[in-house]
């Protein structure tokens, strides 16, 4: 296929299989982008046209993956703070260091660049902007390190392969679970067993999903048994909400392949049963278009537990998809306090699948839409809000500001408990 044929195929998938198109049919004019495609354009130029077209839909679940290009990055990660970019971590060979303050890129200020690339930012909130793609388009950064002004080249490095992290440690006497995805239900069950084994008290638990990239909702179901105090059904947590799935022929075929893969990777009989029910729905609704989606979560009930008494769930903008749906679910527990910053905000349209366009070019897109009342939920690019908002500042590179907030809250509770005990004792 030549470039225009590739583009037309992507447009066809967006218009016929992307679950958000029914709500955003007038957000992008394909002709505006097709006329930009030339036979002699570079791969990077062509990919920019594709990204600009998909970017019009402002959906973090809708994107192109270029297998020939997307395995590299600049060697450092950044986060915007006010009108600067702060390096949050760096490859030692990149020339950058954690804590570097970038104030110019190729001679342009961050404010100037923002006006150039505003169409690529899904959020108007500056500290939620993703600058990783933008930096790859440029050559140098002007930065401040230890009070000195330096210029550093922007290089390319192979991306390190994602490695899931499931672990339990104890912070200030409180058990803390760190969970970076909800893909592997078996690993999550092992994590729960480890937590029970090291549990130091029945009072509090911290669950860190700040960097949770998502996965499948049913993977976190085992956690709900002790996050909630009483017996509940999962679907009861979201009254007046429903998901609709776009049961196009392509979506049913791709989703069936993905569910069969999930089935091979779990031995949990409950989850196996849920997957088989969902596979049945794919056959029953094949090619029917939008149908209310009675999926994996609808039949799930959890028992609840009094212990632990308090649960602090740490969230941030890097918590996405099933990670933020987890945050949405657990905030209904009287035991839970969400701490940090808004999650990614990519839930209105979800249950993503991947279609290969060429050998090295894929499109990832969602197949369901989340409805409340008669309209889409409206959480995209906003995210799940914390109960206690902790603004991010460069100080977070030195101390864990969210954990500090948990410790402060626990000290207040401890003091109140001591004071109540003293009052009771004085009346005896």
């Amino acid at each position: 296929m030549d470039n225009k044929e590739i583009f037309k195929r992507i447009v066809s998938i967006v218009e016929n299989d992307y679950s958000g198109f029914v709500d955003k049919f007038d957000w992008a004019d394909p002709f505006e982008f097709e006329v930009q495609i030339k036979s002699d354009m570079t791969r990077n130029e062509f990919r920019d046209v594709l990204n600009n077209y998909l970017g019009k839909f402002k959906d973090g679940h809708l994107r192109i993956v270029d297998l020939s290009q997307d395995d590299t990055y600049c060697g450092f990660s950044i986060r915007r703070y006010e009108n600067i970019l702060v390096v949050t971590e760096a490859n030692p060979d990149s020339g950058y260091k954690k804590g570097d303050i970038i104030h110019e890129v190729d001679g342009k200020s961050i404010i100037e660049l923002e006006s150039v690339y505003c169409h690529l930012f899904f959020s108007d909130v500056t500290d939620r902007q993703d600058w990783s793609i933008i930096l790859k388009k440029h050559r140098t950064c002007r930065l401040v390190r230890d009070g000195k002004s330096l210029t550093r080249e922007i290089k390319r490095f192979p991306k390190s392969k994602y490695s899931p992290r499931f672990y339990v440690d104890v912070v200030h006497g409180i058990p803390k679970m760190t969970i970076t995805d909800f893909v592997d239900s078996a690993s999550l069950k092992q994590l729960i067993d480890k937590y029970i084994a090291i549990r130091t008290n029945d009072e509090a638990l911290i669950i860190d999903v700040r960097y949770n990239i998502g996965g499948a909702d049913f993977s976190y179901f085992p956690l709900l048994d002790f996050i909630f105090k009483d017996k509940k059904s999962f679907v009861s947590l979201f009254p007046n909400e429903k998901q609709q799935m776009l049961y196009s022929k392509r979506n049913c075929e791709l989703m069936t392949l993905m569910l069969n893969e999930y089935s091979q990777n779990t031995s949990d009989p409950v989850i196996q049963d849920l997957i088989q029910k969902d596979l049945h729905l794919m056959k029953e609704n094949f090619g029917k278009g939008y149908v209310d989606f009675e999926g994996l979560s609808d039949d799930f009930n959890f028992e609840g537990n009094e212990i632990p008494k308090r649960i602090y769930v740490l969230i941030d903008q890097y918590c996405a998809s099933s990670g933020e749906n987890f945050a949405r679910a657990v905030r209904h527990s009287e035991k839970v306090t969400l701490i940090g910053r808004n999650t990614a905000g990519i839930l209105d349209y979800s249950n993503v699948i991947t279609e290969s366009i060429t050998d090295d070019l894929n499109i990832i897109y969602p197949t369901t839409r989340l409805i409340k009342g008669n309209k889409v939920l409206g959480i995209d690019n906003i995210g799940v809000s914390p109960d206690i908002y902790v603004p991010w500042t460069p100080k977070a590179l030195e101390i864990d500001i969210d954990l500090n907030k948990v410790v402060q809250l626990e000290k207040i509770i401890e003091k109140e408990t001591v004071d109540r005990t003293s009052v009771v004792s004085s009346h005896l």
Side-chain angles (χ1 to χ4, degrees):
M1 287 188 290
D2 62 24
N3 287 346
K4 288 206 172 184
E5 289 173 327
I6 291 172
F7 178 73
K8 287 179 179 178
R9 186 174 178 196
I10 289 171
V11 170
S12 177
I13 291 171
V14 169
E15 294 185 351
N16 293 285
D17 305 294
Y18 164 48
S19 57
F21 187 73
V22 67
D23 303 307
K24 306 177 181 182
F25 64 91
D26 58 351
W27 286 29
D29 178 3
F31 181 74
E32 172 190 343
F33 300 91
E34 186 177 350
V35 296
Q36 300 175 29
I37 299 173
K38 310 298 180 185
S39 59
D40 59 347
M41 67 194 318
T42 67
R43 178 78 170 202
N44 287 343
E45 290 171 338
F46 178 53
R47 195 174 65 251
D48 281 346
V49 174
L50 299 181
N51 285 331
N52 290 342
Y53 166 64
L54 295 183
K56 285 283 188 176
F57 296 98
K58 293 190 178 297
D59 189 332
H61 271 146
L62 178 66
R63 64 186 187 275
I64 289 293
V65 175
D66 185 346
L67 300 177
S68 70
Q69 298 285 332
D70 287 349
D71 59 349
T72 65
Y73 80 121
C74 296
F76 59 95
S77 300
I78 51 91
R79 186 162 186 161
R80 183 169 176 178
Y81 175 69
E82 297 179 346
N83 292 326
I84 58 174
L85 302 179
V86 182
V87 177
T88 55
E89 57 182 44
N91 182 319
D93 299 323
S94 67
Y96 296 79
K97 289 185 177 181
K98 181 177 178 180
D100 284 347
I101 303 299
I102 297 172
H103 56 88
E104 284 185 2
V105 179
D106 281 349
K108 294 184 181 297
S109 70
I110 306 307
I111 294 294
E112 289 175 302
L113 284 175
E114 181 182 30
S115 65
V116 173
Y117 295 111
C118 57
H119 62 288
L120 294 179
F121 297 129
F122 292 169
S123 174
D124 294 330
V125 181
T126 55
D127 60 5
R128 290 174 60 82
Q129 295 173 347
D130 181 4
W131 284 75
S132 58
I133 295 177
I134 293 166
L135 288 181
K136 289 176 71 172
K137 298 175 181 290
H138 292 271
R139 295 183 177 183
T140 63
C141 290
R142 190 73 177 168
L143 59 89
V144 174
R145 179 190 301 164
D146 299 327
K148 296 180 180 179
S149 183
L150 306 169
T151 299
R152 289 290 183 266
E153 181 184 356
I154 301 174
K155 303 176 184 178
R156 293 288 184 275
F157 295 86
K159 282 184 180 178
S160 55
K161 186 177 179 181
Y162 167 71
S163 180
R165 286 180 293 148
F166 295 83
Y167 64 89
V168 183
D169 54 359
V170 178
V171 180
H172 298 283
I174 307 170
K176 173 176 167 284
M177 289 184 177
T178 298
I179 308 168
T180 57
D181 68 60
F182 288 124
V183 174
D184 185 358
S185 57
S187 294
L188 195 57
K189 281 195 170 184
Q190 292 174 5
L191 184 73
I192 293 171
D193 291 339
K194 290 179 182 177
Y195 156 67
I196 293 172
I198 73 163
R199 189 163 60 196
T200 52
N201 60 63
D202 297 337
E203 295 296 318
L205 167 67
I206 301 167
I207 301 178
D208 187 351
V209 290
R210 287 176 290 185
Y211 296 91
N212 190 294
I213 63 173
D217 284 352
F218 62 79
S219 291
Y220 62 68
F221 286 173
L223 281 168
L224 302 181
D225 275 329
F226 61 87
I227 288 179
F228 285 85
K229 188 175 180 180
D230 304 309
K231 183 174 181 178
K232 290 181 183 294
S233 67
F234 185 79
V235 72
S236 71
L237 302 177
F238 307 108
N240 303 318
E241 286 186 18
K242 64 180 179 180
Q243 275 198 330
Q244 292 179 334
M245 178 161 184
L246 177 50
Y247 284 99
S248 67
K249 293 179 180 179
R250 185 195 311 275
N251 290 351
C252 290
E253 290 169 351
L254 293 174
M255 189 64 75
T256 296
L257 289 173
M258 188 174 72
L259 287 166
N260 281 326
E261 185 177 342
Y262 271 135
S263 179
Q264 294 172 6
N265 292 327
T266 180
S267 58
D268 188 313
V270 175
I271 293 177
Q272 283 287 357
D273 182 56
L274 293 172
I275 290 174
Q276 293 308 311
K277 289 180 180 179
D278 214 20
L279 286 169
H280 173 72
L281 288 173
M282 296 301 144
K283 292 181 181 179
E284 188 178 74
N285 296 308
F286 188 85
K288 289 185 178 180
Y290 288 96
V291 177
D292 289 354
F293 181 50
E294 297 177 357
L296 296 173
S297 63
D298 287 8
D299 293 332
F300 185 77
N301 298 286
F302 44 90
E303 295 301 318
N305 202 311
E306 294 276 352
I307 298 170
K309 296 178 182 178
R310 298 179 299 281
I311 300 175
Y312 302 96
V313 177
L314 309 184
I315 58 174
D316 201 352
Q317 66 188 55
Y318 308 109
C319 174
S321 195
S322 288
E324 54 186 332
N325 213 33
F326 170 76
R328 272 209 326 140
V330 302
R331 77 180 313 160
H332 292 287
S333 170
E334 61 192 86
K335 299 197 292 181
V336 168
T337 302
L338 297 179
I339 294 178
R341 293 147 297 281
N342 287 37
T343 59
I346 49 174
L347 283 180
D348 287 347
Y349 309 95
S350 57
N351 289 291
V352 299
I353 50 180
T354 301
E355 172 70 308
S356 296
I357 306 299
T358 66
D359 289 342
D360 56 6
L361 199 68
N362 296 338
I363 181 172
I364 296 176
Y365 66 94
T367 61
T368 61
R369 58 201 290 256
L370 188 57
I371 305 295
K372 186 167 186 176
N374 295 315
K375 60 182 181 179
V376 174
L377 183 63
I379 200 172
D380 271 15
N381 307 314
I382 297 172
V384 179
S385 301
D387 298 307
I388 299 176
Y389 175 73
V390 182
W392 190 91
T393 72
K395 184 183 291 186
L397 300 180
E398 303 168 10
I399 60 173
D400 194 321
I401 53 178
D402 305 322
L403 278 180
N404 276 5
K405 176 59 67 173
V406 173
V407 173
Q408 290 174 15
L409 293 172
E410 281 295 295
K411 285 182 177 178
I412 292 171
I413 292 170
E414 183 180 345
K415 183 178 185 302
E416 290 175 346
T417 302
V418 171
D419 289 345
R420 283 197 301 269
T421 303
S422 298
V423 170
V424 171
S425 297
S426 67
H427 285 82
L428 293 178

